[in-house]
Amino acid sequence: MSEARYGELRDRLSELWDLVKLGGLAGWDQQTMMPPQGAAVRARQFATISKFVHEQVVSDELGELLEELRPYEESLDYDSDEASLIRVSRRDREKEVNIPGDLREAQARASAEAYPVWVEARRTNDFELFRPHLERNVELRREYASCFEVDEPYDALLDDFEPGMKTAEVREVFARLRDGLVPLIAEASEQEVDDSFLRRGPFPRPAQQELDRIVLGPYGFREGTWRIDPVEHPFATSFGTDDIRMTTRWPEHEFSGVFAAMHEGGHAIYEHNVSRTLERTPLCRGTSLALHESQSRMFENLVGRSHAWWSWGFPEVQRLFPQLADVELDDFHRAINKVKPSLIRIEADEATYSLHIILRFELEQDLIAGSVAVADLPGVWNERMQEYLGVEVPDDARGVLQDVHWSRGTIGYFPTYALGNVISVQIWERVLEDVHDLDDHIGRGDLAPLTSWLRERLWRHGRKFTPQETLERVVGSGLDPEPYLRYLNGKLGALAA
Amino acid sequence: MSEARYGELRDRLSELWDLVKLGGLAGWDQQTMMPPQGAAVRARQFATISKFVHEQVVSDELGELLEELRPYEESLDYDSDEASLIRVSRRDREKEVNIPGDLREAQARASAEAYPVWVEARRTNDFELFRPHLERNVELRREYASCFEVDEPYDALLDDFEPGMKTAEVREVFARLRDGLVPLIAEASEQEVDDSFLRRGPFPRPAQQELDRIVLGPYGFREGTWRIDPVEHPFATSFGTDDIRMTTRWPEHEFSGVFAAMHEGGHAIYEHNVSRTLERTPLCRGTSLALHESQSRMFENLVGRSHAWWSWGFPEVQRLFPQLADVELDDFHRAINKVKPSLIRIEADEATYSLHIILRFELEQDLIAGSVAVADLPGVWNERMQEYLGVEVPDDARGVLQDVHWSRGTIGYFPTYALGNVISVQIWERVLEDVHDLDDHIGRGDLAPLTSWLRERLWRHGRKFTPQETLERVVGSGLDPEPYLRYLNGKLGALAA
C-alpha cells in the first residue's frame, strides 16, 4: 500500500520535474538560440511555467502524500533513493508554501524581462537602462526574504542556493579567506610574468571549438549526450542525465575560452553522473551551488591550470594556434596562472577571484538591507574595486554590469562561487589521499581516476543529501578555507621560484 | 462583470497556450538541437506537458467560464477577437473532452519515442526497426478515432488538421485532381528537359545558408524575430509572433535546399503576421493545415518557381555557385519546373506532388481501417508507387520510410498538402485580380504587394475563423481544384513551347 502511494509520489514529482526542466529548456533557448524579439512572450512563458510548478509543489495532494508517507520513509534506510526523495521533497514543499504564487510568477516575469535589457545595457555601457529592472528585482527579492523567518533577510536568499547555510557563517569564512588572500596576492603581484602571448590573437572560433572538444574528451561524457554553444555569459544545464547543455565564450582576441569550457564541463559532468535511478526527480541535480561550483572550479583550475594537464594539452594548443609555436610550456603555465588584480570576475585568476566574490557578497547584503540604493550602485562598486583590488573601473560595462546574475534576479548566488573554490580543494586533498599518482594520469590526459572517485563519492548521489551532509560524507568535515589557502600558497610559491 | 470574466478566460487560455508553446519548443529542440541520447527523457516531458494541457482544456473551470460567457459572446460582433476566442475555445474544448487524458499522454509519449527510431530506421534502411513503433502509433490513432461519432474513422483524424473537413469531400476533390493530373503529367513527362546542372555539386552549406537569407529577405520578417536551422525533415514553427523558427535542408549534392527554405518561409510568414492582439491565445496560428500549406506552396511554387522570381534571384545563385555560371535563366527555370515522376515527395515537382499525397491518403485510410497491415506496408507502398507514378522503389528509405509524419503519429495530415496546392492557386487568382503588376514586382524581388494582400485578407485573422469560413472570405467560394489544374496546364504548356 505504502509502495503504491510512493509510486504516486514519484509520478507526481516526475511530472513536476518535467515542468521544471521544460522551463530550463526555455531558459537555455533564450540564451543560446532565441531571436531577440522573442523575449517579451518568453517572459510570459516563464511566468506561466513557474506558476504551474509552484501550484504543483504547494498542492494539498502532494502535502497529503508526503504526510502519509512518513511511516514508510522511517521504515527505509536514510540513504535510500526512496527515503531521500520523500525527505527532500517535504523540505522543498515546506519552503515553497511560504511563497505566494503571485510572487513566484512576478519574479519569473521580471527576470525574463530584465535579461535582454541587461544584454543591451552591457553592450552599450548604459546602467540607467538597466537600473529600473534591477530595482524591480531587488524589490522582489526583499519581498521574497520577508516570506521567511530568518536571522537576517539575506539568509533567505542564500538558502535558495546553499540550503542550510547562514550569512554569518559565510561572513566568517570570507573573513579568513580575505586575511589569507591579501598578503598572498600582494606578494604574487610583484612577480613579473609575461602573458602577452595569450593576447596574440586572433584565436579563430572554429579552432577554439575544436580545442573545447579535445579538453572535454577526458571528462568521459557518454556519446550523443551533450552539446556546447556560445553565449554572452556561460553556464551549464541539463534536461536529463543524457541531455547536457554546456555553453561557453570564444573570444577571438585572447586565449581564455577554453577555461570557460573546462569550468562548465565541471558542472556538466556532475549532472551527467547523477544516478539514473534519480532521473526525472527533484534529486536529479547537484546538491547545492557551492558543491556544483566546487566541481567546475576543480576542473577549471586544479586540473585546467595545472602543469601536468598542459604537458598533455599544450601541443594541441600549438597545433590549433600556430602563433604560440615559440612559447615554452613553462611560460604558458606561468601565464595562465598569473596573479593580477583585474576588472572582470570571470577572467580573474584563482587568487583574486574570491575578492571579486566578497565584494559582490557585501554589495548584495547592502542592496537587500537598503543601505545602498540601486542608483548609487555603480559608484559604490567602483570605490570598492579600488579598495579591494586596487583597480580603476573605466566603465559600467566592465564594472557593475559585467555579471548576468542580478538581471536574472539571482541574489545570494555569488557567495557560492568562493565557497566552491574552498570546497574544491577540500575535496582535492581527499582525492590525492586515494589516488597517489593523479598527476601522472592528468599528464597523460587521463581523468578517469579522478572522475571515478568523484562519481562514486559525490556525483551519483545528486541531491539526496544536504550540502552539509554531502561535504561531511565526501571530506569528513565542514567548510574549511585552509586547504584552499594552503594550495594557493604552495602553487604561487612554486611558480615564483 | 462579463468583461472581467472574459479577462479570466483570456488569462487561462494564455497560460494554456504558453504550455502548448513550451511543448512546441521541446519539439523544435528535439529536431534541431537535442543530443540524440536525450530522446528518452524528452519523450516523458512531452507526455507530461500534453497531460497538463489536456487537463487545462477539459477542466470544469474552463467549461463553466465558457458557458457563462455565452450571452457576452452573443452581444459581440462575430468577427471580434473576443467572440472568436470564446467560440473557437468552446469548440476546441468540446472536442477535447471526448479524449481520455491517458490517451493523449500515451500518444505524446509514443510519438516522441518513435521519432528517433524513425531517423535511425531511415538512415539504415530498416523498416523492421520502425515497424513496432508505427504499429503502436496506428493503434493509438484508431483508439483516438473511436472517441468520436463520425461517418468514418478517418474523419476524426482529418478533423485535427482540417477542422470540419470530411474524408468523402477530400476523396471527391482528389478524384478530380487525379483525373486532371494524369494526362497532364503524361504529356509533360515527354518533354526532354536537361536539369543535370542542378546536380552539379557540391553546393556548399554556407552558400546555401546565404542564399536562404537572400530569398527570405523579401518576405519582410521583422528584424530579430527568426532563425533557420538544418534538420532531417524541414518544418516551421513559432513560439510567439516574434519568435519564428524555420528549418530546412542543405543537401550538398543538388540544388534543392532553397525551395525547402521558401516553403517553410511561407508557413513562417503566416504565423509571423497573425494580429498581435491574438498573441498568447489559441487563435495565434494558421487556421488549418491546408490553409497553412497554401501559403508554403504559394511561396515555394507560385513565387519560387516562377520565371520572374529568378530573373531577380538567379544572378545571386550564380554568384554563390559559380558552377552554374554558364547556365541560362530560361534553362534554369525549365529545370526547376521539370515534370518527372520520382521517388521522394518533398523533392517532387508541382505536377506529380499531389499523386504522392493521394497515395498516402489512401494508405492511411487502409491502415486505419485495418485493410492493410503495417507489416505489409512496404510492399503495398512499392506496388502503388509503380501503379500511380510508374517508378520502382529501390529501398524503404526512399519509399515508405521517407516521411517523418507517421513517426509522430500524425495520420490525416498528408491530404492537407494537396489541398494546400489547390487553395494556393485559388488565392493566387484572387491576388492577381487586385494586383495586376504582381509579376513585375516579383521580378524586382519585391513581394510587398503580395504580402500586404495576404496579411490583410488572411494572415492577421489567425485562427478566428474556420477553414471553410476563411476560404469563403478570402476567395469567395469553397474548395475548387480547377484553378490549380488550369495553372499547371498553362505553365507546363508555356514551358513546353
Side-chain angles (χ1 to χ4, degrees), chain B residues 24-299:
Chain B
L25 173 61
W28 173 85
D29 178 75
Q30 183 178 38
Q31 292 189 59
T32 56
M33 302 293 161
M34 189 185 77
Q37 296 305 319
V41 170
R42 182 57 51 89
R44 307 299 299 264
Q45 292 164 342
F46 280 123
T48 295
I49 201 97
S50 168
K51 179 181 166 179
F52 275 95
V53 167
H54 175 80
E55 284 175 2
Q56 291 298 310
V57 176
V58 303
S59 73
D60 293 340
E61 292 87 341
L62 182 61
E64 282 157 22
L65 260 177
L66 288 167
E67 267 319 300
E68 214 178 299
L69 284 165
R70 265 186 206 276
Y72 182 64
E73 179 194 347
E74 279 155 23
S75 77
L76 296 165
D77 181 11
Y78 185 90
D79 289 12
S80 67
D81 287 353
E82 293 79 2
S84 301
L85 186 59
I86 300 170
R87 181 176 70 242
V88 175
S89 300
R90 183 181 295 116
R91 217 180 284 138
D92 287 348
R93 186 174 184 282
E94 280 165 4
K95 181 161 188 186
E96 191 72 22
V97 290
N98 291 300
I99 309 159
D102 291 351
L103 179 58
R104 269 274 183 252
E105 210 183 324
Q107 283 178 337
R109 196 166 150 186
S111 141
E113 283 170 357
Y115 172 74
V117 179
W118 166 75
V119 171
E120 183 61 13
R122 187 167 91 146
R123 196 179 66 78
T124 56
N125 185 36
D126 184 357
F127 180 78
E128 275 305 300
L129 185 67
F130 180 51
R131 186 178 53 77
H133 290 277
L134 182 53
E135 281 168 349
R136 175 79 178 135
N137 279 343
V138 169
E139 180 193 316
L140 287 168
R141 292 317 283 166
R142 247 189 239 142
E143 198 179 324
Y144 180 81
S146 73
C147 300
F148 302 93
E149 286 193 21
V150 280
D151 297 340
E152 46 187 315
Y154 196 80
D155 278 353
L157 308 186
L158 187 60
D159 192 82
D160 277 359
F161 308 105
E162 213 49 36
M165 180 70 71
K166 299 286 172 233
T167 311
E169 188 180 355
V170 177
R171 239 185 248 120
E172 194 218 307
V173 171
F174 280 8
R176 286 168 66 195
L177 208 54
R178 180 147 61 154
D179 290 348
L181 286 172
V182 167
L184 197 152
I185 291 168
E187 197 177 334
S189 301
E190 280 171 24
Q191 305 296 323
E192 282 291 329
V193 176
D194 177 20
D195 65 348
S196 60
F197 52 82
L198 297 181
R199 288 174 299 283
R200 209 184 272 169
F203 296 91
R205 288 182 137 212
Q208 291 200 56
Q209 203 167 359
E210 193 182 335
L211 183 59
D212 287 355
R213 298 226 151 233
I214 291 168
V215 299
L216 290 172
Y219 284 58
F221 289 98
R222 296 181 290 275
E223 206 188 315
T225 62
W226 61 279
R227 59 178 294 140
I228 186 163
D229 296 282
V231 289
E232 190 73 24
H233 184 96
F235 65 96
T237 187
S238 69
F239 313 128
T241 59
D242 283 339
D243 189 354
I244 302 292
R245 313 288 173 108
M246 286 172 267
T247 64
T248 191
R249 310 201 304 167
W250 292 315
E252 299 215 303
H253 64 289
E254 60 171 23
F255 183 86
S256 69
V258 72
F259 299 107
M262 290 200 69
H263 179 99
E264 302 309 334
H267 286 301
I269 197 73
Y270 187 0
E271 305 244 314
H272 185 50
N273 279 293
V274 172
S275 167
R276 279 173 194 275
T277 59
L278 304 178
E279 188 85 271
R280 289 182 72 235
T281 75
L283 304 187
C284 193
R285 56 168 234 220
T287 189
S288 76
L289 272 284
L291 263 303
H292 235 303
E293 196 68 12
S294 78
Q295 300 307 288
S296 57
R297 303 297 283 181
M298 184 182 292
F299 282 85

Side-chain angles (χ1 to χ4, degrees), chain A residues 28-77:
Chain A
W28 173 85
D29 179 76
Q30 183 178 37
Q31 291 189 60
T32 55
M33 300 292 161
M34 190 185 76
Q37 296 304 318
V41 169
R42 182 57 51 89
R44 308 300 299 264
Q45 292 164 343
F46 281 123
T48 295
I49 201 95
S50 167
K51 180 181 165 178
F52 276 94
V53 167
H54 175 80
E55 284 175 1
Q56 291 298 310
V57 176
V58 303
S59 72
D60 293 340
E61 292 86 342
L62 182 61
E64 283 157 21
L65 259 177
L66 288 166
E67 267 320 298
E68 214 178 300
L69 284 165
R70 265 186 205 276
Y72 181 65
E73 179 195 347
E74 280 155 23
S75 77
L76 296 165
D77 180 11

